Amino acid sequence: MSDDETVVVSARRMLTADVCEFELRRADGALFEPAGPGSHITVHTPSGEARSYSLTSDVSDRSRRVIAVRRDENGRGGSRSMVDEVHDGDELVISAARNAFELVEAPSYLLVAAGIGITPIRAMLVELLRRGVADVRLVYLSRSRDETPYLEEIEEIAELTGAGADSMTLHHRTIHGAFDWWPLLEAPGERHLYVCGPEPLQNELRALTMHWRPSRVHMEDFAGVSAFGEISLPFEVDWQPTGARIPVTSDQTMLAALEGAGIDVDSSCGSGTCGTCRLSLVEGEADHRDVVLTESERAHFVMPCVSRAVSDRLVVAPITVVPQ
Ligand code: FES
């Protein structure tokens, strides 16, 4: 990625037995570009895997980026190498911050986090409290107290703000069982819902918010979607700036085909969730497989890391080129 930069790990601490927080500062001591709550960065981990992590803490502090990484024993190795091999003073290469989970202005918020999903939600909570927004409700799900990153901090915030159990709910599934969402979701009002957690939780909350305006329901899941999970037929993609015509085989993503042809497309998650690889859709009908674009955006944009073509050919361009 062209906007990669080298940072130094200025502090690390274990938040739970398997979640480690890293504080990163620019090697030259300069400030980072501004980033809003909900932003993420891509980290080139020691294992060689690139991984996207949400910024947590107060993102208005531009002297540092703070991320928290859950060590996934069964993952591809990126998170394990971060927790096991990255120490104070080490250098890492990270991307600029990007935001596909933006906090919009609203009179009322319901923030839902599960486990490590607290990272972007914590940044949102800090920002909303800083702005003095009064109507903020947090539901934070985890298996137990021991497996709850930032537990004491959230409890302190609840105490300091006088919010108490009415607006800051810590729900430990092994103690409390299933959470009853309906009282919170039945009457949406002007509220915006932000959810960061695993797919089953997102599916449950999507089903329970079918009566909400879609623009008020915001979800984040870096587990992402698959470009090959459905039938994948070959097609062609034309790169409008040069007119190059590139074949995309059935076992290849459009992104890989473009990159294979020497076209540099900025990308991050590779799973249709972060919004980084967005291209203008100039011509053709796309088979949209991402979870980023809204219905109205799908007529004009495509995410080549997962999406494919319904028509035989798509014409795409960088998003700086306005679609005709
Ligand atoms: S790289 Fe993240 S949506 Fe395509």
Side-chain angles (χ1 to χ4, degrees):
M1 283 169 289
S2 53
D3 55 4
D4 282 353
E5 59 185 324
T6 301
V7 295
V8 177
V9 177
S10 48
R12 64 162 270 165
R13 60 175 175 143
M14 294 304 293
L15 301 174
T16 68
D18 61 358
V19 175
C20 185
E21 180 189 81
F22 297 90
E23 179 190 78
L24 311 173
R25 295 181 188 267
R26 284 183 62 166
D28 59 6
L31 297 179
F32 289 103
E33 292 297 311
S39 298
H40 68 274
I41 56 172
T42 299
V43 178
H44 295 267
T45 68
S47 72
E49 301 270 344
R51 283 283 168 272
S52 293
Y53 297 111
S54 295
L55 300 182
T56 189
S57 80
D58 182 359
V59 292
S60 68
D61 178 358
R62 291 171 52 199
S63 67
R64 62 193 191 132
R65 300 285 199 221
V66 181
I67 58 173
V69 178
R70 185 174 68 84
R71 188 182 187 282
D72 183 355
E73 189 60 46
N74 302 312
R76 283 181 284 171
S79 68
R80 279 201 307 280
S81 72
M82 285 293 292
V83 175
D84 295 351
E85 298 171 35
V86 177
H87 303 288
D88 284 354
D90 286 356
E91 289 192 343
L92 287 172
V93 174
I94 67 170
S95 73
R98 301 183 181 86
N99 202 340
F101 192 44
E102 270 179 46
L103 187 64
V104 301
E105 293 282 342
S108 172
Y109 297 87
L110 171 57
L111 308 178
V112 175
I116 193 64
I118 190 62
T119 50
I121 296 296
R122 175 175 175 247
M124 290 178 174
L125 181 64
V126 169
E127 174 67 14
L128 291 173
L129 294 176
R130 198 171 63 82
R131 289 185 199 168
V133 178
D135 190 358
V136 181
R137 167 100 200 220
L138 170 72
V139 179
Y140 182 11
L141 309 170
S142 63
R143 283 178 49 76
S144 65
R145 281 184 70 83
D146 287 349
E147 296 165 276
T148 310
Y150 302 115
L151 174 77
E152 286 84 8
E153 183 187 308
I154 300 290
E155 287 179 333
E156 258 170 45
I157 289 174
E159 204 168 302
L160 285 174
T161 58
D166 279 353
S167 57
M168 303 276 167
T169 303
L170 286 158
H171 186 90
H172 307 303
R173 284 188 293 258
T174 53
I175 303 170
H176 305 118
F179 187 79
D180 181 10
W181 295 105
W182 192 240
L184 289 177
L185 301 176
E186 184 178 10
E190 299 291 304
R191 192 168 253 190
H192 277 245
L193 170 66
Y194 283 84
V195 181
C196 191
E199 200 179 347
L201 173 68
Q202 296 196 26
N203 291 342
E204 181 184 4
L205 294 180
R206 270 200 194 92
L208 289 170
T209 53
M210 294 293 280
H211 59 301
W212 285 48
R213 285 194 192 171
S215 60
R216 293 186 182 161
V217 177
H218 314 264
M219 305 230 174
E220 169 108 313
D221 172 17
F222 279 122
V225 292
S226 165
F228 307 110
E230 302 162 50
I231 296 168
S232 295
L233 298 173
F235 61 100
E236 289 179 324
V237 58
D238 284 3
W239 183 243
Q240 193 196 42
T242 61
R245 180 158 297 174
I246 301 145
V248 183
T249 59
S250 57
D251 60 351
Q252 184 182 38
T253 65
M254 187 180 357
L255 178 66
L258 290 166
E259 289 178 337
I263 295 163
D264 189 20
V265 178
D266 210 4
S267 65
S268 176
C269 69
S271 59
T273 55
C274 75
T276 307
C277 67
R278 176 188 298 232
L279 294 176
S280 287
L281 178 59
V282 181
E283 205 180 300
E285 191 183 345
D287 172 9
H288 293 284
R289 299 185 178 186
D290 63 279
V291 294
V292 175
L293 296 175
T294 62
E295 275 312 307
S296 58
E297 287 177 322
R298 289 183 164 200
H300 303 294
F301 301 102
V302 65
M303 313 305 297
C305 66
V306 289
S307 295
R308 306 187 67 83
V310 175
S311 51
D312 292 340
R313 185 160 50 88
L314 299 180
V315 181
V316 298
I319 52 172
T320 47
V321 177
V322 178
Q324 301 299 304

